[in-house]
């Protein structure tokens, strides 16, 4: 994702840039809400928004990394629930 962001930013392709942005969107939202917004609230807005290839590559790479972590957390949670289901069903069935 970071390499694709560098290439897309260097060639200024708006269609590919939009696709990369959409692919990394859930991770970017998490980064904005839990990292960038608190830092901006603490230290103020530096006002130096990067619109170059490096900024796009960084955003796509970090967004993709957070997406991987989000998917891993969801899979781990689903596995934990699936592992506990047989024990829960066994406890709920009445014994006669």
């Amino acid at each position: 994702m970071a390499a694709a962001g560098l290439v897309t930013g260097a060639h200024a392709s708006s269609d590919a840039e939009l696709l990369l942005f959409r692919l990394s969107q859930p991770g970017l939202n998490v980064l904005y809400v839990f990292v960038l917004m608190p830092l901006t609230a603490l230290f103020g807005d530096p006002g130096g928004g990067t619109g170059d290839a490096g900024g796009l590559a960084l955003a796509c790479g970090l967004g993709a990394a957070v997406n991987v972590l989000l998917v891993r957390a969801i899979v781990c949670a689903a596995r934990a629930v699936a592992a506990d289901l047989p024990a829960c069903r066994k406890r709920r069935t009445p014994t006669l």
Side-chain angles (χ1 to χ4, degrees):
M1 287 295 287
L6 274 174
V7 170
T8 302
H11 292 293
S13 173
S14 63
D15 293 335
E17 184 176 335
L18 182 63
L19 175 67
L20 287 175
F21 184 72
R22 286 187 179 162
L23 286 175
S24 61
Q25 188 61 41
L28 284 174
N29 289 343
V30 170
L31 282 176
Y32 286 144
V33 170
F34 293 110
V35 176
L36 294 176
M37 289 174 76
L39 287 176
T40 302
L42 286 175
F43 301 114
D45 188 14
T50 58
D52 57 350
L56 179 64
L58 182 64
C60 288
L62 290 176
V66 173
N67 284 343
V68 169
L69 293 175
L70 288 171
V71 170
R72 176 154 170 78
I74 291 169
V75 168
C76 286
R79 285 183 180 170
V81 168
D84 286 341
L85 279 178
C88 291
R89 286 186 184 140
K90 187 176 181 181
R91 279 187 297 214
R92 286 182 23 192
T93 13
T95 55
L96 298 176

